[in-house]
Amino acid sequence: MDATNKKLPPRERKNEWPKYLAWAFVAALIIWAFVGMPAFAIKPNAGQIGGSIMSGIFHPDWAYVYRGDGEDLVSTLLQTIAIAFIGTFISAIVSLPFAFWAANTKHKFWLVTRSGKFLLTAIRTFPEIVLALMFIKAVGPSAFAGVLAVGFHSVGMLAKLFSEAIENLDNGAGESVTSAGGTRMDVTMLATIPQLLPELISNTLYRFELAIRSASILGIVGAGGIGTPLIFAISARAWSRVGIILLGIVIMVTLVDFISGSIRKKLI
């Protein structure tokens, strides 16, 4: 008889009860999670509305693609790309000093690094849409509020990535500059930055890809970009316009991801 078909000894069978108890606990937890869940309330006209939405999406409003008034699909998509690009570009520059602050290889005193990492974590806590609402109160509903929201949140993300790249650097080049009589600034400019440059560009491009998605929805709260006409079209139930806007977002995100990914592959 095959060894795998033999019955387990009594002691091994006895030791299997914790596994069955764990599975029973998980099953009971899942059942308890669904107990008391409110019933799904489906409106009588849900089928009609769903059909209108699908019809509009598959029959997009092609006349909205370009009208020359600055409020068409092409113009708002370009504004979305501009919001993401400017916000990411500014944050990439601002993030550098924060990255050196948070990198644990640049400070002997642990509190300096911990305070930098804590600040970056605190910045990343705020979602872009919350930041957009806050900046709208300060500068008014505009694309500038979207740039500020994307840029502020990107500082926390990029500085974290930059600091990790700094921590993984080979210190050989820096030691060579120091042995030749170079100062800390010389080490940074002649050894650290040249080694970091490919990682900095790659991480910035990756963040730009994410910023495009964020900028696409910031217009919902009035921070410019494609989100503004999208929420207006949904409110007016203009599903054909919703369809062309969604199609434009898909094409924009796909092209940006492809171009950015191609550049990052050549850098790394």
Side-chain angles (χ1 to χ4, degrees), residues 14-267:
K14 185 177 180 180
N15 291 335
E16 284 189 345
W17 70 267
K19 180 177 67 175
Y20 296 118
L21 183 62
W23 280 109
F25 175 76
V26 171
L29 187 63
I30 294 174
I31 294 173
W32 173 80
F34 283 94
V35 172
M37 186 176 67
F40 293 104
I42 300 177
K43 295 183 178 180
N45 59 345
Q48 181 181 358
I49 294 175
S52 300
I53 294 173
M54 297 304 296
S55 176
I57 290 176
F58 285 102
H59 297 83
D61 181 10
W62 297 106
Y64 182 68
V65 173
Y66 184 76
R67 299 183 307 194
D69 57 358
E71 300 293 333
D72 50 68
L73 179 66
V74 173
S75 301
T76 49
L77 285 178
L78 290 176
Q79 187 182 72
T80 302
I81 295 174
I83 291 172
F85 178 80
I86 296 173
T88 306
F89 179 77
I90 294 174
S91 65
I93 299 174
V94 176
S95 297
L96 274 176
F98 289 98
F100 281 97
W101 178 8
N104 58 24
T105 57
K106 296 298 178 182
H107 308 287
K108 295 181 180 179
F109 189 39
W110 65 270
L111 184 59
V112 176
T113 297
R114 294 291 178 85
S115 61
K117 291 185 181 296
F118 174 78
L119 178 62
L120 297 181
T121 302
I123 293 174
R124 294 196 305 273
T125 302
F126 298 95
E128 286 101 331
I129 197 163
V130 174
L131 292 170
L133 289 170
M134 295 168 61
F135 284 120
I136 284 172
K137 297 298 182 181
V139 302
S142 62
F144 184 49
V147 170
L148 294 175
V150 171
F152 188 86
H153 188 268
S154 296
V155 168
M157 297 294 296
L158 283 177
K160 177 181 182 295
L161 296 174
F162 291 172
S163 65
E164 292 175 352
I166 294 172
E167 292 171 357
N168 295 328
L169 279 180
D170 182 12
N171 294 325
E175 293 173 355
S176 300
V177 175
T178 303
S179 64
T183 62
R184 292 189 63 180
M185 180 59 68
D186 294 330
V187 172
T188 301
M189 300 304 298
L190 300 176
T192 304
I193 296 299
Q195 290 185 83
L196 276 178
L197 197 56
E199 285 286 342
L200 298 183
I201 297 175
S202 177
N203 289 330
T204 302
L205 288 173
Y206 175 69
R207 179 58 198 165
F208 175 63
E209 294 176 16
L210 301 179
I212 285 287
R213 294 168 173 80
S214 301
S216 299
I217 63 172
L218 291 182
I220 293 176
V221 296
I226 193 64
T228 301
L230 177 61
I231 193 64
F232 286 161
I234 293 175
S235 300
R237 298 186 179 184
W239 303 120
S240 58
R241 180 160 296 183
V242 171
I244 192 64
I245 292 174
L246 292 179
L247 179 61
I249 293 174
V250 169
I251 294 174
M252 175 186 66
V253 171
T254 303
L255 287 176
V256 170
D257 286 356
F258 175 76
I259 296 172
S260 175
S262 300
I263 296 174
R264 286 192 289 115
K265 286 180 180 178
K266 294 182 179 179
L267 290 172

